[in-house]
Amino acid sequence: MTDSTPNDLVREGAPAALPTAGPRGLARRQAMLDAARRLFIEKGFEKTTLTDIIAQSGGSRATLYEHFGDKAGLFRAMMEENSANILKGLSAAHTGEGVTPEAGLTCFGLHLVRELLSERVVSVLRILIAEGGRIPDIADSFFRIGPDTAVTRLADYLHRLSDDRVLRIDNPRDAAQAFLGMIAGNLVIRTLIMPDRLPPLEELDRYVRQAVVLFLNGTKAG
């Protein structure tokens, strides 16, 4: 078998299920993800080979195929990992009884900015900047797995609040995109352009809370 090409990145259907593995198997899987992330940044997605990844992470080609299928599967797994971590914050925001929209959206917003500052997310964004224009399939896959999924889940939450007459929202999907843009837009740009000059967490906390208040002021039910 040979290394996959960049055009293999996007495929129809869901990714293969994660094989049953014990702690050692999961640790090996994570080591492969971490090695691939480093190499994709250093060498680029196209120039990185499975041999490179195995040499840095250990294990075997058979183990890599079992967990990820190919190089494209590795990148997909990175994006799915990031998306799952972000969506956990949205789930936590509105699963408790009596959680107000302000508390729920603040919880999600704070979780989101912390995730966007994580090395996992930043590394994927850097790969997309380096490769996305030349290999559009990478960017398409990223938006389907990440931002589009987050918008859909947040829109569902806002739709429920609107149905319950807690908020007044004519188009929940547009509102979800607007909220995510308020929270994340400027932060993503700063993270990529000035990674060593990010605002302190206290400032981010204040910014998120102000954004939530502004958003809710525009959606209060009459």
Side-chain angles (χ1 to χ4, degrees):
M1 298 180 72
T2 60
D3 292 351
S4 63
T5 65
N7 287 333
D8 290 331
L9 186 61
V10 178
R11 298 179 175 185
E12 294 296 327
L18 179 64
T20 302
R24 291 183 63 182
L26 292 176
R28 180 65 65 198
R29 179 182 188 275
Q30 190 61 50
M32 288 180 171
L33 277 175
D34 293 341
R37 185 179 290 111
R38 289 191 300 269
L39 287 164
F40 289 163
I41 293 173
E42 293 169 6
K43 300 181 65 173
F45 178 84
E46 186 176 15
K47 293 182 180 179
T48 298
T49 67
L50 296 185
T51 301
D52 295 331
I53 295 168
I54 293 165
Q56 279 208 12
S57 65
S60 67
R61 188 174 288 258
T63 299
L64 190 150
Y65 287 139
E66 179 185 10
H67 283 291
F68 305 105
D70 53 22
K71 185 170 64 171
L74 274 160
F75 192 77
R76 178 181 290 277
M78 291 178 202
M79 293 188 288
E80 289 173 343
E81 180 182 62
N82 291 344
S83 180
N85 287 331
I86 289 173
L87 291 176
K88 283 179 186 176
L90 180 56
S91 297
H94 60 86
T95 54
E97 288 293 330
V99 176
T100 66
E102 181 174 1
L105 290 173
T106 300
C107 175
F108 174 62
L110 292 173
H111 177 81
L112 177 63
V113 298
R114 293 189 186 105
E115 284 296 315
L116 290 175
L117 292 174
S118 71
E119 183 180 352
R120 296 186 316 275
V121 174
V122 172
S123 64
V124 167
L125 292 175
R126 287 175 177 163
I127 294 166
L128 288 168
I129 289 173
E131 306 281 359
R134 186 169 53 82
I135 312 172
D137 289 347
I138 289 179
D140 292 340
S141 185
F142 166 77
F143 277 102
R144 283 200 305 274
I145 293 171
D148 288 351
T149 301
V151 167
T152 298
R153 291 281 295 277
L154 181 56
D156 289 343
Y157 173 50
L158 296 176
H159 193 280
R160 289 196 296 273
L161 292 175
S162 183
D163 284 348
D164 292 340
R165 300 184 183 278
V166 177
L167 300 179
R168 185 189 70 253
I169 300 176
D170 295 330
N171 190 318
R173 188 168 185 85
D174 285 351
Q177 290 176 324
F179 179 76
L180 291 174
M182 291 171 66
I183 297 295
N186 185 55
L187 179 62
V188 170
I189 294 174
R190 289 186 61 141
T191 301
L192 294 173
I193 296 177
M194 299 185 295
D196 299 325
R197 296 174 57 188
L198 295 175
L201 288 178
E202 297 80 11
E203 183 177 332
L204 291 173
D205 183 281
R206 184 171 61 254
Y207 173 79
V208 167
R209 294 179 187 279
Q210 290 175 343
V212 169
V213 170
L214 286 172
F215 177 80
L216 292 177
N217 283 342
T219 58
K220 285 182 179 178

